[in-house]
Amino acid sequence: MTRTKTRDLIEEKADDLFYENGFEATSFADIADAVGISRGNFYHHFKSKDDILDAVIDRRLSKTARMLESWDADKLPKARILSFIRILLTNQTKIMAFGCPVGTLTTELAKLDHIAQSRAAEVFTLFRDWLTDQFHALGHGDESASLALHLLGRSQGIAVMASAYRDETYLRAEVTALEDWLDTVTTKLR
Amino acid sequence: MTRTKTRDLIEEKADDLFYENGFEATSFADIADAVGISRGNFYHHFKSKDDILDAVIDRRLSKTARMLESWDADKLPKARILSFIRILLTNQTKIMAFGCPVGTLTTELAKLDHIAQSRAAEVFTLFRDWLTDQFHALGHGDESASLALHLLGRSQGIAVMASAYRDETYLRAEVTALEDWLDTVTTKLR
DNA sequence: ACATATCTAGGACATTTGTCCTAATTTCTG
DNA sequence: CAGAAATTAGGACAAATGTCCTAGATATGT
């Protein structure tokens, strides 16, 4: 198999496992098993566990950036924010089982006092800046940044509670509440 | 040392370590070192790691119940809810470093597929039911339960974002926003 | 087609993990 | 005070961890 293919496969499986089982709880053996390669082969592609973590974070950063760009392409600001809110519904099953991938990873890395924590939080920054742009486009001026952070926090809270209780009704109700909030906030301007 | 004293000390240190470093990342050796006893002695008090986890959860449950009772004793419903909101300020430093102890533990246990996950979530239930009572007392009727869950989710989101960015300004702004929300919600009734 | 670089498997390694055992010490009880 | 019970220390144990090494297989470039 070509280099990039195996590397990519490792990153993909590691990404999944870090999300579903946590970074600390995922061992080299777990990833190697999931990929179907030997443990030894591993070190040809990644020379340490932190190396894989870096790659997984990179992967998530570019995946997120691509998603935001695709929303930029064919939507209006308010619809874009709605797309963000509705990630909670799109990924409902996984979120109820494992929470938000971004929030849970940064939380875990904070506890581990891991150097990569701030890099993991950059995924949040991607969303935050993008959301700030959207609120700006809607004419919210200086408020835009705090609206973006507020929305990010609301989503995180929903993810935490939805997974704690595995409660779909709560999740849906809160998504609706967020959509209402967006309506209120965007119509308050005129 | 008497049985209860050592047991208590172990629980206390385990509680702290689980919070600050995570459950999985905390080893027996870590706890034993923190308490200052030998690893062997450990198994006289707790026969497995899950045993300590159970004890720590019990501890948190009763600690939480006691706190809520103390608020019941000398406050009015709205002031009680305000006390809840202001936990975020009271425990600001720890929350910015390690997130919310309840949210982060349930999240981790969900990923580990751990049997104790639902018991850990009972701390949320304590808060939820108590908050529901307060909203009831304020005359919110059937809305009370979802208001309680909403407030719980908002707090969780704030804890996640505050620790992701270690951002005190955000935390304070969002607490103020929550206080405003409480005002709006409670005055909307008349 | 051959030399070179890349990839792969399998195992070695020291360390750490959770768990358990034994023997000594302390504390309690009659 | 003597005997029983509870507590403690220290180490043994297998399994798992992250890391590294070697030797064979595969692919690549000329």
Side-chain angles (χ1 to χ4, degrees):
Chain A
M1 213 183 301
T2 151
R3 175 180 192 86
T4 32
K5 253 195 184 163
T6 311
R7 250 194 90 98
D8 231 58
L9 206 60
I10 294 176
E11 289 178 12
E12 187 193 320
K13 296 295 183 184
D15 194 345
D16 290 346
L17 288 169
F18 287 174
Y19 177 32
E20 296 174 11
N21 302 333
F23 171 69
E24 183 85 356
T26 301
S27 71
F28 271 149
D30 293 334
I31 307 175
D33 283 358
V35 178
I37 61 171
S38 66
R39 248 151 288 118
N41 188 4
F42 222 103
Y43 278 78
H44 192 255
H45 297 279
F46 297 95
K47 62 178 186 298
S48 79
K49 205 183 174 186
D50 291 354
D51 250 46
I52 313 178
L53 179 59
D54 283 343
V56 166
I57 293 175
D58 278 350
R59 192 188 174 78
R60 293 190 183 182
L61 280 168
S62 56
K63 220 174 103 185
T64 303
R66 271 199 308 277
M67 183 179 68
L68 297 180
E69 279 165 25
S70 85
W71 287 346
D72 277 340
D74 59 16
K75 289 198 169 78
L76 296 173
K78 192 175 170 184
R80 289 176 196 154
I81 301 176
L82 267 177
S83 296
F84 169 79
I85 292 175
R86 289 184 184 147
I87 301 178
L88 287 165
L89 299 178
T90 313
N91 302 337
Q92 199 193 111
T93 312
K94 292 216 150 202
I95 285 172
M96 291 203 308
F98 314 113
C100 164
V102 191
T104 54
L105 183 63
T106 52
T107 297
E108 183 178 2
L109 296 182
K111 281 181 199 286
L112 295 177
D113 220 352
H114 200 289
I115 334 142
Q117 195 266 354
S118 56
R119 261 186 69 67
E122 279 176 32
V123 186
F124 274 142
T125 306
L126 242 40
F127 280 113
R128 186 196 62 190
D129 292 348
W130 180 86
L131 284 169
T132 304
D133 287 346
Q134 309 316 314
F135 283 113
H136 252 121
L138 290 169
H140 284 278
D142 293 346
E143 272 191 343
S144 303
S146 49
L147 286 172
L149 261 185
H150 177 82
L151 179 49
L152 223 40
R154 291 278 290 271
S155 313
Q156 285 303 306
I158 296 169
V160 169
M161 295 309 298
S163 78
Y165 282 132
R166 289 158 211 268
D167 182 342
E168 186 180 334
T169 310
Y170 162 81
L171 192 146
R172 295 191 168 276
E174 285 292 318
V175 167
T176 306
L178 260 190
E179 292 172 351
D180 291 349
W181 169 83
L182 183 61
D183 270 337
T184 311
V185 139
T186 52
T187 56
K188 212 177 11 185
L189 281 179
R190 61 210 64 195
Chain B
M1 214 185 297
T2 151
R3 175 181 192 86
T4 33
K5 251 195 186 160
T6 311
R7 249 193 90 98
D8 232 58
L9 206 61
I10 293 175
E11 288 179 13
E12 186 193 320
K13 296 295 184 184
D15 194 345
D16 290 346
L17 288 169
F18 287 174
Y19 177 32
E20 296 175 10
N21 302 333
F23 170 68
E24 182 85 357
T26 302
S27 72
F28 271 149
D30 293 334
I31 308 175
D33 282 358
V35 179
I37 60 171
S38 67
R39 251 148 283 118
N41 188 4
F42 222 102
Y43 279 77
H44 191 256
H45 297 279
F46 298 95
K47 62 178 185 297
S48 79
K49 204 182 172 184
D50 291 354
D51 250 47
I52 313 177
L53 179 59
D54 283 343
V56 166
I57 294 175
D58 279 350
R59 191 187 176 79
R60 293 191 184 181
L61 280 168
S62 56
K63 219 174 104 185
T64 304
R66 271 200 308 277
M67 182 179 67
L68 296 180
E69 281 165 23
S70 84
W71 287 346
D72 277 340
D74 59 15
K75 289 200 168 81
L76 295 173
K78 192 175 168 182
R80 289 176 196 152
I81 302 176
L82 266 178
S83 296
F84 170 79
I85 291 175
R86 289 183 183 147
I87 301 178
L88 288 166
L89 299 179
T90 312
N91 302 336
Q92 198 193 113
T93 312
K94 290 216 151 203
I95 285 172
M96 291 202 310
F98 314 113
C100 163
V102 191
T104 54
L105 183 63
T106 51
T107 297
E108 183 178 1
L109 296 182
K111 281 181 199 285
L112 296 176
D113 220 352
H114 200 289
I115 334 143
Q117 194 267 352
S118 56
R119 261 186 68 67
E122 279 176 32
V123 186
F124 273 142
T125 306
L126 242 41
F127 281 113
R128 185 195 63 188
D129 293 349
W130 179 85
L131 284 169
T132 303
D133 287 347
Q134 309 316 313
F135 283 114
H136 251 121
L138 290 169
H140 284 276
D142 293 345
E143 270 191 344
S144 303
S146 50
L147 285 172
L149 263 184
H150 177 82
L151 178 48
L152 224 40
R154 291 278 291 270
S155 313
Q156 286 303 306
I158 296 169
V160 169
M161 295 309 299
S163 78
Y165 282 133
R166 290 158 210 266
D167 183 341
E168 186 179 336
T169 310
Y170 162 81
L171 191 147
R172 296 193 167 275
E174 285 292 317
V175 167
T176 306
L178 260 188
E179 291 172 351
D180 291 348
W181 170 84
L182 183 62
D183 271 337
T184 311
V185 139
T186 53
T187 55
K188 213 177 11 186
L189 281 178
R190 62 210 64 196

